[in-house]
Every structure is written in structure tokens, then in C-alpha cells.
Amino acid sequence: MVKVYAPASIGNINVGFDLLGIAISPISGKLLGDCVSIKMSKKFKITCSGCFSDELPSDLKKNIVWKCWILFSKIIKKDISVSINLEKNMPIGSGLGSSACSIVASLVAMNILFGTPLSSKEILCLMGQLEGEISGSIHYDNVAPCYLGGLQLIIHKKDIISQSIPSFKKWFWIIAWPGTKVSTELSRSLLPNVYSRSICIEHSRNLSSFVHASYTNQSNLAANCMKDLIAEPYRKKILPKFLEAKKLAMNLGALSCGISGSGPTFFSVCQDITKANNIAMWLSKNYLDNDRGFVDICRVDTVGARKIR
Ligand SMILES: Nc1ncnc2c1ncn2[C@@H]1O[C@H](COP(=O)(O)OP(=O)(O)O)[C@@H](O)[C@H]1O
Ligand SMILES: N[C@@H](CCOP(=O)(O)O)C(=O)O
């Protein structure tokens, strides 16, 4: 039996819409991600457990894990029965890469069980394809960091899909999931197809300067470049508490704040644990809509998907 854990991720991180994503893990040691176990079996079976399994489609054939198996078994041309269990620990429609966690954990576990017939690049391609099926358009900024860990820059040139860039290990990433859902597909539909020249220039300046600051270890410059000109102006209207949270987190010492992925999760970044705790406490009291919501103080997860049994 093979069991794989795949961590949560923050897509975009404000300045890199569809181009930057970071894998995260709570400093508490809590596992914030999905697990998939797979073994050979006489009878094909998919079972789901975990605190968010009740949110999965009732029709197994609509579960992304099923789609992963159908695609994977077709590519390796093996029609063998397996038994798969998905531990759905990530809330669906959260903005924390929930679908990416299931996709990555499934494909990595399948590839290991069958003796790694697919290369990392081939697997990552499949991950992007499956993510695109779910959200309406292929984007790698969740599956790449979830799979490879760290801060991933989506290059998508020739045979390179993504490569890691340096991340600030001292940064705390505070995430707050309010307990509600926003479909990635819906959230993407809010965005215009055309942006002004001035926005394009400012966005390019921010993104290139962020990458430069990441390589030259300029933490404050990197944080100052983390501006979302592409998605936040259009998505904040469906996140009623977002602007207040952003103002309060910055007042409490955050270096940057934004929408995690397509939302509704809110993220903020700071370098000081006391400030991180103060921001987390404020978010726990003011950003959560119900008792399913949660707040975690995280660091970058440099490993990504890993075999845990
Ligand atoms: N194992 C799974 N994990 C997450 N979503 C799944 C899974 N299987 C099917 N889905 C469906 O995929 C869609 C994921 O929605 P999306 O907004 O992309 O979630 P997220 O942004 O959290 O990845 C939902 O409609 C959900 O029902
Ligand atoms: N770049 C994507 C990221 C989606 O992240 P998710 O965690 O909400 O799936 C987007 O902003 O649409």
C-alpha cells in the first residue's frame, strides 16, 4: 500500500496570477492537505474519509480521484484493480488548492505504486490537465507547488512547466478560511479578458521586481511588490469581509495581504511571530463565518507531495 500526502497551496500570491504559487504547512505541525492511499485489489474501489469528505460529489465518477485513475490507467495501459482511499482534509472551493491536493496525492500515489512509469514532467502535465477540467482553464499555480513544494514560478516554455524560485523562509503565511465556498470557475469568470496598458506595465514591473527581490533576498522589496492588479479588483466584491481584514492585518504589521487563490481564504504575510499571532487572533474573531472555518499560521512547505507510508 502507498499513502501520499499533498499540502495546501496559495495560488497567485497577489503578484503572480496563474504564475506563482507556494506550498504551505502550519507551524503547529497539523497536516493541511489531502492524503491518498492506494493498493492492488481484487475489486476496484474508491472510498472517501476525512473532515471534508461530506462535500465531495456523491457520484464517485465526479470525484477527481476517479478521473485521475481513469486517465493514469489509460496512459500506462494497465487495467488492474486497485483500492483507493481519499482522506479529504481540505475544504472544497476554499482557495487553498483543494482540488490540487486530491489530484497531486492521487497521481503521485498511483505513479509510485506502479513503479514510477511517468516522469515528473509527465505527471505535472496530467495534473494541470485535470485541474483545468475542474476550473475551466488550465493553471499550474496550485498543482506545481503542491507537487514540488516551495515557491513555484510557472514558466510553461518548451518542456519546462515550472521551476522553483527562492522563498523567504522567515516569512509566516497566515491563512483564514471563513468556512464558505467560492468556485474557482466562478471566480475566474469575474475577470476581464482585457487590461489597460498601464495595468500591464505596473503588473509586469511588480512581478519582475518580486522575482528579482526573491533572488537578492530583499524581503521588504518583495513584500512591497506583492500587489494584485489582475484578480483582487474584481474578486473583492464577492468577499464582503476582505477589505476590512486587509486594513486590519496591515495595521497589525502584515507585510502583505491578499486573496488566497480564487478565494474566499484570506492570506497575510509577516516576519514576526507575535504579529502573526495577533493577526491570526483577529482573523479568528472577525473573518470566520461559521465553526468550520479555520485560521493557521504557516511556513513555506519546501517538500511538496510526499509518501508517508
Ligand atoms: N477530490 C476532490 N477535491 C476537491 N474538489 C473535488 C474533488 N472531486 C471533485 N471535486 C469537485 O471539483 C470542484 C473543485 O472546485 P474548486 O473551486 O476548484 O475547489 P478548490 O478551489 O478548493 O480547488 C468542485 O466542484 C468539487 O465538487
Ligand atoms: N490562479 C488561480 C488559483 C486558483 O486557486 P484555488 O485554490 O482557488 O483553486 C485563480 O486565481 O483562479
Side-chain angles (χ1 to χ4, degrees):
M1 193 262 281
V2 172
K3 183 171 185 178
V4 169
Y5 167 74
S9 58
I10 300 174
N12 308 331
I13 65 165
N14 279 353
V15 70
F17 180 78
D18 278 6
L19 302 179
L20 286 172
I22 192 164
I24 55 169
S25 281
I27 60 173
S28 63
K30 159 185 159 185
L31 285 183
L32 187 63
D34 288 349
C35 292
V36 168
S37 307
I38 185 171
K39 63 183 178 185
M40 302 296 184
S41 168
K42 287 180 182 159
K43 190 168 178 289
F44 178 78
K45 187 169 66 169
I46 292 182
T47 54
C48 299
S49 55
C51 47
F52 293 99
S53 58
D54 60 316
E55 292 186 8
L56 291 166
S58 50
D59 179 355
L60 265 186
K61 292 186 177 178
K62 289 183 179 167
N63 192 317
I64 197 69
V65 175
W66 164 277
K67 297 173 190 275
C68 287
W69 171 247
I70 295 300
L71 187 57
F72 181 80
S73 56
K74 183 180 168 190
I75 288 170
I76 66 165
K77 298 184 177 64
K78 287 195 190 293
D79 187 14
I80 296 171
S81 282
V82 293
S83 173
I84 304 172
N85 176 260
L86 165 65
E87 281 178 42
K88 193 63 198 172
N89 306 315
M90 290 300 293
I92 290 169
S94 57
L96 287 168
S98 169
S99 48
C101 287
S102 288
I103 292 167
V104 170
S106 298
L107 289 177
V108 171
M110 291 168 191
N111 206 37
I112 292 171
L113 183 72
F114 287 91
T116 55
L118 300 183
S119 68
S120 290
K121 194 247 169 189
E122 287 168 330
I123 280 275
L124 187 51
C125 264
L126 291 186
M127 291 170 179
Q129 182 183 329
L130 285 153
E131 182 80 312
E133 272 186 41
I134 267 187
S135 61
S137 48
I138 291 182
H139 58 93
Y140 288 93
D141 54 328
N142 288 119
V143 290
C146 180
Y147 175 39
L148 301 168
L151 176 58
Q152 292 293 321
L153 173 64
I154 310 309
I155 293 167
H156 220 172
K157 281 276 179 284
K158 296 185 179 175
D159 63 346
I160 302 171
I161 292 178
S162 81
Q163 289 183 342
S164 65
I165 66 173
S167 57
F168 294 96
K169 303 297 183 290
K170 290 183 180 175
W171 280 8
F172 294 104
W173 296 77
I174 304 103
I175 55 106
W177 175 57
T180 53
K181 287 186 184 182
V182 170
S183 140
T184 303
E185 191 166 15
L186 165 84
S187 192
R188 292 176 78 85
S189 71
L190 300 174
L191 307 184
N193 291 318
V194 177
Y195 291 83
S196 68
R197 185 191 309 163
S198 62
I199 290 290
C200 292
I201 292 168
E202 189 178 355
H203 175 68
S204 307
R205 186 175 67 235
N206 286 337
L207 178 55
S208 50
S209 303
F210 175 84
V211 175
H212 166 71
S214 299
Y215 275 99
T216 54
N217 198 28
Q218 298 181 72
S219 173
N220 287 335
L221 174 60
N224 289 335
C225 294
M226 289 172 67
K227 308 289 185 207
D228 183 347
L229 303 176
I230 304 297
E232 183 183 311
Y234 308 95
R235 287 175 168 173
K236 65 187 177 185
K237 62 189 174 191
I238 62 169
L239 304 174
K241 297 179 180 177
F242 174 74
L243 288 178
E244 182 194 14
K246 187 173 180 179
K247 183 179 171 192
L248 264 292
M250 296 304 286
N251 289 345
L252 289 172
L255 295 174
S256 181
C257 302
I259 302 171
S260 176
S262 61
T265 294
F266 174 87
F267 82 88
S268 58
V269 169
C270 71
Q271 281 189 144
D272 176 284
I273 188 61
T274 303
K275 290 175 181 173
N277 280 316
N278 291 340
I279 293 166
M281 273 191 287
W282 188 90
L283 290 168
S284 297
K285 287 177 187 160
N286 300 282
Y287 195 73
L288 307 189
D289 288 330
N290 56 52
D291 57 9
R292 296 200 91 179
F294 55 77
V295 177
D296 281 310
I297 299 174
C298 302
R299 292 264 204 210
V300 59
D301 182 313
T302 57
V303 177
R306 55 263 202 183
K307 184 176 183 290
I308 56 175
R309 198 186 305 162

